[in-house]
Amino acid sequence: LCLNPSDFPLVEENFNDNEFTIDSKALLKLLNKSKFSISNDETRHYLSGVFLHQTERNNNYFLTAAATDSHRMSISKTKLNSKINFEPIILPKKTIYQLITLLEDQESIVKICNIKSKIKFEFDNCLLISKLIDGKFPNYIQVIPKNNEKKLEINLSNFLNSVGKVASVSTDKKEGVKFQLSKDALKLSVNNPNSGDGTDTLEVKFDYDLDISFNSKYLIDVASQIDGEKIIFYLNETGSPALIRDPVDTDSQFIVMPMKA
């Protein structure tokens, strides 16, 4: 029993016009830092993948990844050796997870090239060709907060433990965690009428008074991608999105919309 070879897609297409190379670890980092913000909303198919594109800053060129589900956004970039011939693409979710699995044990150079509606990844003995998502990714740059000057600095390990503890009282993982911020203190609380209350207080670096709530799962997803020992929030007002950064990885940033109190 076998399948007719003519039923298979062509592998030997001429991809070589737009070829460039990238370190496998750099590509893996890009995908991991952005994948959790991919939308599951099938009605907006253009959000169901990672937007890969070339960006420029101070005469340096970067391969940048962005993903959003309209409640949160992840942006990460890695420096390229030089300018590349690469049209912006939206890489499908399934391809991203396949790539991550293949790249996890790799330390090699990945050759990438795309034509029309397809992209090819080639490294070691692997060749992955994927269709791309046909659509226009929104202008994510204009969503990045510009006036968030209230800096909140928290120990990452303490923050993850605290959010996990207070969120555990609720069976709904989308439960809002309320931040009650004052001078160098953060009180985290979850109030669920069915299962009870959870509270915890952390020592932080903060100079303002502010109350704001976030989806606990979104906070844990972002915190899990922080490489350093601290997580830094840049806040504005109660209803304004938070900009989250990793002091160790200046090439990545995350935006999380607050929940209504």
Side-chain angles (χ1 to χ4, degrees), residues 90-115:
I90 305 175
L91 197 60
K93 185 176 186 176
K94 188 175 180 180
T95 304
I96 290 161
Y97 281 89
Q98 287 175 331
L99 255 181
I100 287 170
T101 302
L102 291 169
L103 290 170
E104 276 175 343
D105 299 322
Q106 294 284 338
E107 286 194 22
S108 58
I109 297 298
V110 182
K111 286 197 290 188
I112 303 175
C113 37
N114 69 308
I115 55 166

Side-chain angles (χ1 to χ4, degrees), residues 36-255:
F36 62 86
S37 293
I38 295 171
S39 174
N40 293 316
D41 183 358
E42 292 182 4
T43 62
R44 294 189 292 175
H45 68 284
Y46 51 87
L47 296 183
S48 59
V50 166
F51 181 49
L52 276 179
H53 56 299
Q54 182 175 209
T55 55
E56 180 187 0
R57 186 170 183 179
N58 299 329
N59 292 324
N60 291 315
Y61 294 93
F62 301 88
L63 185 64
T64 301
T68 182
D69 61 7
S70 75
H71 300 291
R72 54 181 170 171
M73 183 163 65
S74 312
I75 306 162
S76 188
K77 66 180 190 289
T78 186
K79 190 176 179 183
L80 296 164
N81 294 327
S82 60
K83 186 177 182 179
I84 58 175
N85 183 14
F86 184 70
E87 292 295 321
I89 62 162
I90 305 175
L91 197 60
K93 185 176 186 176
K94 188 175 180 180
T95 304
I96 290 161
Y97 281 89
Q98 287 175 331
L99 255 181
I100 287 170
T101 302
L102 291 169
L103 290 170
E104 276 175 343
D105 299 322
Q106 294 284 338
E107 286 194 22
S108 58
I109 297 298
V110 182
K111 286 197 290 188
I112 303 175
C113 37
N114 69 308
I115 55 166
K116 301 174 189 172
S117 60
K118 294 180 185 176
I119 190 166
K120 180 174 78 170
F121 299 89
E122 193 174 354
F123 48 94
D124 284 353
N125 297 319
C126 295
L127 176 66
L128 176 62
I129 297 175
S130 169
K131 285 187 174 181
L132 302 170
I133 292 174
D134 183 19
K136 184 174 175 60
F137 199 81
N139 183 4
Y140 68 91
I141 299 293
Q142 64 186 16
V143 183
I144 301 173
K146 304 292 191 295
N147 302 312
N148 288 24
E149 296 175 355
K150 297 174 181 176
K151 183 179 178 182
L152 167 63
E153 191 174 308
I154 316 172
N155 176 277
L156 177 65
S157 177
N158 293 345
F159 178 72
L160 272 169
N161 289 337
S162 187
V163 172
K165 275 194 297 184
V166 298
S168 66
V169 301
S170 173
T171 54
D172 183 1
K173 295 304 178 186
K174 295 179 181 177
E175 188 76 50
V177 174
K178 186 175 182 181
F179 285 26
Q180 291 174 280
L181 284 154
S182 54
K183 172 71 174 174
D184 293 339
L186 166 60
K187 181 182 178 183
L188 294 161
S189 61
V190 169
N191 179 272
N192 186 289
N194 298 318
S195 54
D197 302 337
T199 60
D200 198 16
T201 303
L202 295 174
E203 287 186 16
V204 298
K205 286 187 179 180
F206 196 67
D207 293 326
Y208 308 89
D209 291 327
L210 180 66
D211 289 354
I212 190 168
S213 297
F214 296 104
N215 180 309
S216 60
K217 183 181 184 303
Y218 293 174
L219 294 177
I220 292 170
D221 284 345
V222 170
S224 300
Q225 290 301 323
I226 301 295
D227 298 326
E229 295 180 356
K230 294 177 181 177
I231 182 171
I232 297 178
F233 289 74
Y234 293 91
L235 304 167
N236 190 354
E237 303 298 336
T238 299
S240 302
L243 177 64
I244 307 173
R245 289 187 179 274
D246 179 355
V248 171
D249 177 17
T250 56
D251 288 332
S252 299
Q253 55 187 329
F254 311 93
I255 294 97

